[in-house]
Amino acid sequence: EPEVTQTPSHQVTQMGQEVILRCVPISNHLYFYWYRQILGQKVEFLVSFYNNEISEKSEIFDDQFSVERPDGSNFTLKIRSTKLEDSAMYFCASLTGQGMEDYTFGSGTRLTVV
Amino acid sequence: AQKVTQAQTEISVVEKEDVTLDCVYETRDTTYYLFWYKQPPSGELVFLIRRNSFDEQNEISGRYSWNFQKSTSSFNFTITASQVVDSAVYFCALRPATGGYQKVTFGTGTKLQVIP
């Protein structure tokens, strides 16, 4: 069964460094999402992406964050200058956008900012 | 605005007991999807079920069952004869059914501990 793939599974970075989280959505999907889960808290929406542009973003998704789909297969989340509070699990998801479908997440990237 | 409330923060049960996880939601959308996810200690989100708002039939899958009641805006999840492997955090979630780029709103989760 097709699945959303995320790499790396765990990344440790120093505060102030840039980090790029990578996701490979399911191949025929058109809508892409990033979510964040701070340890012990609920999963929160960050951003949705469709037709090569952001469809919606949350208050969390400030100027330090950006997304792109550089090559038609990867979907990336970049954090320009990481802060300690960016430490979280980041989940990617994708949908076809056509009719009823399950909302399936990748296995997540655990980002630790030290 | 959408909201999902899981009032039970943590539940402990002894193995083989039945347990029900509560979920109450709020939405102005006329059509929507409800979900349950399991998050084991390894951290991934495991999809369990999707329910459409126009389908109020209850569903059973093995030891799992779901009770959807639109009149009370609830979508409760029951595990029958719980097992240690059921120990995890369970999230209820909600998404509008219209539009492909609609975000999912999660509840705060219920941590289930099954004691052997």
Side-chain angles (χ1 to χ4, degrees):
Chain A
E1 177 148 346
E3 58 182 31
V4 176
T5 306
Q6 289 186 244
T7 56
S9 56
H10 189 191
Q11 180 153 0
V12 181
T13 189
Q14 286 202 325
M15 192 168 56
Q17 294 294 306
E18 176 182 284
V19 66
I20 297 176
L21 309 183
R22 291 185 166 78
C23 169
V24 178
I26 296 172
S27 63
N28 64 335
H29 285 191
L30 303 175
Y31 296 84
F32 313 108
Y33 308 82
W34 283 102
Y35 287 77
R36 181 182 83 174
Q37 183 187 29
I38 294 172
L39 185 64
Q41 298 186 22
K42 68 176 181 180
V43 181
E44 298 174 291
F45 169 77
L46 284 178
V47 65
S48 58
F49 190 84
Y50 170 71
N51 200 25
N52 283 322
E53 60 182 27
I54 290 173
S55 311
E56 184 180 357
K57 59 183 181 179
S58 72
E59 297 162 354
I60 304 168
F61 195 88
D62 62 21
D63 292 343
Q64 291 298 310
F65 291 90
S66 63
V67 289
E68 64 174 358
R69 195 157 152 77
D71 55 13
S73 84
N74 289 287
F75 178 50
T76 61
L77 174 68
K78 182 193 290 187
I79 309 174
R80 289 191 183 81
S81 178
T82 49
K83 308 184 190 96
L84 294 176
E85 53 265 38
D86 293 326
S87 295
M89 184 77 110
Y90 289 82
F91 293 101
C92 173
S94 67
L95 294 174
T96 65
Q98 298 169 3
M100 297 186 289
E101 58 186 315
D102 300 332
Y103 207 101
T104 304
F105 292 88
S107 54
T109 293
R110 187 175 299 280
L111 176 66
T112 302
V113 182
V114 297
Chain B
Q2 301 180 100
K3 186 177 179 182
V4 177
T5 301
Q6 295 180 256
Q8 303 151 308
T9 307
E10 287 194 42
I11 301 176
S12 288
V13 298
V14 176
E15 201 171 21
K16 296 184 185 174
E17 286 184 348
D18 299 347
V19 59
T20 295
L21 309 182
D22 297 333
C23 173
V24 174
Y25 63 92
E26 296 173 31
T27 181
R28 293 180 184 167
D29 295 289
T30 52
T31 56
Y32 48 89
Y33 300 131
L34 293 160
F35 303 84
W36 275 96
Y37 292 89
K38 175 181 180 180
Q39 187 174 46
S42 50
E44 72 270 25
L45 288 169
V46 178
F47 168 83
L48 295 178
I49 190 172
R50 168 176 48 84
R51 171 60 70 210
N52 307 320
S53 55
F54 50 83
D55 180 4
E56 287 194 69
Q57 277 193 330
N58 292 327
E59 183 157 339
I60 298 174
S61 175
R63 296 184 297 107
Y64 295 170
S65 62
W66 290 270
N67 184 331
F68 175 32
Q69 295 208 340
K70 211 166 176 178
S71 59
T72 55
S73 298
S74 65
F75 185 44
N76 297 337
F77 173 30
T78 297
I79 302 174
T80 303
S82 58
Q83 299 175 1
V84 173
V85 293
D86 295 327
S87 296
V89 180
Y90 291 86
F91 290 97
C92 181
L94 167 69
R95 172 173 97 86
T98 53
Y101 47 86
Q102 298 291 348
K103 64 189 178 189
V104 176
T105 299
F106 284 82
T108 49
T110 296
K111 183 176 182 179
L112 174 65
Q113 184 178 16
V114 181
I115 304 164

